[in-house]
């Protein structure tokens, strides 16, 4: 048996009871003969409480100090978890990100991992210990300052350690049973996916699925580390994310992996743009200079009569105000008519590598939306994804309709036209 | 102007308001032209809360992990303090004990400092920053594990850094105005001491005065670092502890520095010990083997008729049960009559280097107790201290009587026989 890396999120270690439950699970893996390295997040609301404290002493906390503050959270959870494991009669040692060799750049609050030198961790597990590592944190290569990895940082720590330690698998324990064919809160008949490729998982992650973040999956793909996403509460098998199915996993990938939705974006439309070279470039340069990441971009065919076109794009709602301000400044130069801003939209995405070779997927997708009375406002596609923008009010109905149309509902008998069901 | 080290305790940084108040005080020192290094404890009850969490996951938390846990407390306070200072427009950087170069042995929960290599701190202040250092913590020399220094650890961190950085002074900010001639809660007329020698302060600290711990004063004496104990709330001048008075401090030391009392001890009497060589050694070897520190030891002259004597000693109440158990085991070998255990005692100590050369101090001390109707049960003296054990119920009255008798009361007109008043 080889080495496994397990990661437990804040909701799994929200209180002393949670820590003791997780400790038992970790000890089981050790008893099964594995070397075990555990990455743990801060307990429950700890991080939010620390952020609140920071806001009380400074309106804009400095990055270096903010990271120093936040990393106290994992320090608490990892030490408690090590104690709980030792209390079960097994040896455990906790390590900060720095001690674990998580080397990052110097961009505080969203540092990137540039190297992992896990010598102390390897030594610790070779000596028979369970090693507990603080997620979300590292130490900067040049200044030796404490850094944090930003959103999804603990998952990324886990995958990075798994890669550096040549782990068999990186198990991401969370509060849901795995990755589903749609958000189970919206689609009651959503099905747990047993295996999904890195590529499809990446598309789901960037289309609004929140179980795994894009960054962590990307890292796992680059180093080919199988991820097993599962619940720390239920003990059930979860979802495997990997290059190829392994063991008793289904050998054939589904045509459609799942339906994701995202209501965190807004739509900006630049109306009446002169249809000549360079205008679109000017618009998106202005957006880029404001350091705003955009998602979908659509340009209509220009009306022959006017020579004017409309350009629409989506972006995080939180960036809306900044984008409009940046565009207003370009108005004189470009000479467009007006700007429209709409934050009552939803994006619905269908993801699956199988759609590349299966004609008719797009038609079925649009038919399902049409039958449900949902209007499509924007369309964008990749090789393995189709995304549409609809009214925010329509999102739940739209997701359910598409989920059913592609035979993803868990009760249906191996389904309609595109019967690959993800199992 | 040189470098000053300031230390703020948990009560000074109990909440966001406290942190902002302390930040202002630190910035003042910087504005006055000093290089400033700040040592800070965990906020208010943080440490107790962490200890409580540990108890919930493990009845006997492992030392290494317990230290990892507790050090999260200072990490929070130091980062917040640095943020608050930066918010006032001054540069600040926080450092863990490890980053600050506080190197210790490997005895978790009560590590001893064996070296301080403050290169990063010196660099930081030379670059114009205020350096904030986590108190109470270090890193072990051999294993590179996080350690804590035990009780009074933050004060010791401050003095050790002051020594390593050749600081002008180590300012210990606390919630009282300084060191008093007696506990002001007991003696309303207690007087703040303006200057006291290391030696007298050491005796006061080991006699029950709680403002400074023995360990920190001992460190300061060894490296000759003047300590200024003062309030973080009032801004008043406090008490200087040093080898020699400096500047406008009183040039002559008082005959009597103060009266300390201690109600945390118990008394054990071994009754009817055969008065022959080796019996006392056997008794105290048994106590030492149980790793119990004792304080006063008194042996009566043996009664000529019986050849038996009584041996009494005091020890922390918390060790009482263990001591009795250890002594019971020696009973057969020694052949003493019985053991008496009494935890309703108080120790009252009079401290002052002047008593060496002033005859009559002992007589005045005993007369004062006698006049107050307080019975003396044990007596023990050093060159600069007289201690007696009395009933616990008598302690307040006894302290007040002695304080008055030596002219220490703040209203009295330069006092009676021993007029040196500590100013």
């Amino acid at each position: 048996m080889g080495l496994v890396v397990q990661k437990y999120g804040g909701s799994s270690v929200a209180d002393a009871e949670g820590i003791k439950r997780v400790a038992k699970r970790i000890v089981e893996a050790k008893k099964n003969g594995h070397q075990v390295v555990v990455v743990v997040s801060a307990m429950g609301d700890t991080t939010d409480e620390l952020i609140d404290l920071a806001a009380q002493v400074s309106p804009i906390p400095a990055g270096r100090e903010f990271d120093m503050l936040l990393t106290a959270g994992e320090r608490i959870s990892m030490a408690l978890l090590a104690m709980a494991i030792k209390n079960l009669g097994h040896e455990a040692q906790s390590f900060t990100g720095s001690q674990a060799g998580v080397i990052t750049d110097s961009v505080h609050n969203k540092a990137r991992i540039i190297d992992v030198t896990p010598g102390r961790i390897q030594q610790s597990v070779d000596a028979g210990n369970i090693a507990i590592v603080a997620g979300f944190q590292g130490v900067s290569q040049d200044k030796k300052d404490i850094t944090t990895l930003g959103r999804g940082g603990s998952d990324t720590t886990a995958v990075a350690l798994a890669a550096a330690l040549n782990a068999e698998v990186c198990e991401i324990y969370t509060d849901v049973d795995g990755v589903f064919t749609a958000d189970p809160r919206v689609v009651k008949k959503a099905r747990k996916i047993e295996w999904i490729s890195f590529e499809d998982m990446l598309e789901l992650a960037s289309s609004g699925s929140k179980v795994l973040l894009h960054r962590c999956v990307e890292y796992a793909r680059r180093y080919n580390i199988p991820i097993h996403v599962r619940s720390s509460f239920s003990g059930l098998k979860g979802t495997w994310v990997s290059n190829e199915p392994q063991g008793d996993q289904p050998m054939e990938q589904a045509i459609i992996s799942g339906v994701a939705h995202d209501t965190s974006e807004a739509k900006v439309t630049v109306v009446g743009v002169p249809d000549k070279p360079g205008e679109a470039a000017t618009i998106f340069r202005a957006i880029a200079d404001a350091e705003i990441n955009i998602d979908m971009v659509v340009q209509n065919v220009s009306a022959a009569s006017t020579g004017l076109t409309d350009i629409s794009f989506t972006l995080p709602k939180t960036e809306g105000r900044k984008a409009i301000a940046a565009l207003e400044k370009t108005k004189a130069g470009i000479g467009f008519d007006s700007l429209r801003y709409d934050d009552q939209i939803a994006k619905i995405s269908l993801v699956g590598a199988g759609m590349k070779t299966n004609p008719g997927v797009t038609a079925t997708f649009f038919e399902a939306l049409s039958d449900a009375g949902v209007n499509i406002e924007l369309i964008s596609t990749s090789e393995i994804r189709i995304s549409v923008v609809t009214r925010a009010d329509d999102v739940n109905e739209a997701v359910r309709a598409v989920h059913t149309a592609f035979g993803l509902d868990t009760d249906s008998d191996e389904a309609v036209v595109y019967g690959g069901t993800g199992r």
Side-chain angles (χ1 to χ4, degrees), chain A residues 41-89:
Chain A
S41 302
M43 293 170 72
D45 302 325
T46 309
T47 304
D48 288 341
E49 288 164 14
L50 292 174
I51 290 172
D52 182 53
L53 268 175
Q56 287 178 48
V57 302
S58 176
I60 308 164
R64 179 184 185 280
E65 303 308 322
F66 199 60
D67 282 353
M68 187 68 96
L69 178 71
L70 293 189
T71 52
E74 290 82 33
R75 204 174 185 86
I76 294 169
S77 56
M78 75 190 198
L80 291 172
L81 187 52
M83 287 177 196
I85 291 170
K86 290 170 83 84
N87 196 42
L88 296 175

Side-chain angles (χ1 to χ4, degrees), chain A residues 118-360:
Chain A
R120 282 189 77 172
I121 304 300
Q122 187 71 59
Q123 257 184 326
S124 181
V125 295
D126 286 348
N129 296 299
I130 294 165
I132 315 290
V133 179
F136 179 66
Q137 58 178 251
V139 62
S140 70
Q141 190 168 43
D142 50 352
K143 295 185 185 161
K144 309 295 177 215
D145 281 333
I146 302 303
T147 53
T148 65
L149 307 178
R151 250 189 104 212
S154 289
D155 288 2
T156 308
T157 302
V159 171
L161 271 173
L165 292 162
N166 288 313
E168 273 180 8
V169 57
C170 180
E171 296 184 335
I172 307 272
Y173 284 90
T174 179
D175 51 4
V176 294
D177 281 337
V179 182
F180 281 74
T181 50
D183 185 338
R185 286 167 301 187
V186 172
V187 181
K188 295 278 172 273
K189 293 184 169 180
R191 191 193 293 262
K192 187 175 73 187
I193 299 171
E194 298 201 14
W195 171 71
I196 185 171
S197 69
F198 286 128
E199 286 70 23
D200 279 20
M201 192 63 234
L202 282 173
E203 288 284 3
L204 281 181
S206 53
S207 300
S209 167
K210 293 183 179 60
V211 183
L212 287 178
L213 286 187
H214 189 279
R215 178 182 185 186
C216 136
V217 181
E218 181 59 47
Y219 205 111
R221 179 172 70 162
R222 194 176 323 137
Y223 293 95
N224 193 18
I225 300 297
I227 295 178
H228 187 185
V229 190
R230 56 198 303 196
S231 167
S232 74
F233 296 85
S234 74
L236 296 174
K237 275 192 187 181
T239 300
W240 283 81
V241 187
S242 61
N243 259 336
E244 302 286 340
Q246 292 164 9
D248 59 351
Q249 293 167 23
M251 290 305 292
E252 195 171 13
Q253 183 165 18
I255 293 169
I256 299 300
S257 285
V259 185
H261 70 276
D262 188 350
T263 53
S264 71
E265 296 194 341
K267 180 176 70 168
V268 172
T269 305
V270 189
V271 181
V273 181
D275 191 5
K276 55 184 186 189
E279 299 298 22
T282 308
I283 287 169
F284 291 108
R285 171 53 56 199
I287 296 295
D289 287 348
E291 299 201 343
I292 296 167
N293 286 320
I294 58 173
D295 180 20
M296 295 167 73
V297 180
V298 177
Q299 177 174 346
N300 298 340
V301 176
S302 66
S305 57
T306 61
L308 296 178
T309 186
D310 299 341
I311 295 179
S312 294
F313 61 90
T314 62
L315 77 179
K317 281 177 186 170
T318 48
E319 306 280 19
R321 187 182 298 268
K322 206 161 61 166
I324 295 297
L327 289 174
E328 288 289 1
K329 286 188 202 153
T330 68
K331 186 168 181 181
I334 300 176
F336 58 78
D337 285 348
S338 60
L339 292 173
R340 283 193 212 137
Y341 181 72
D342 181 355
D343 61 5
Q344 294 302 305
I345 63 161
K347 184 175 72 164
I348 294 146
S349 303
L350 185 71
V351 171
M355 69 172 68
K356 279 189 287 198
T357 50
N358 279 269

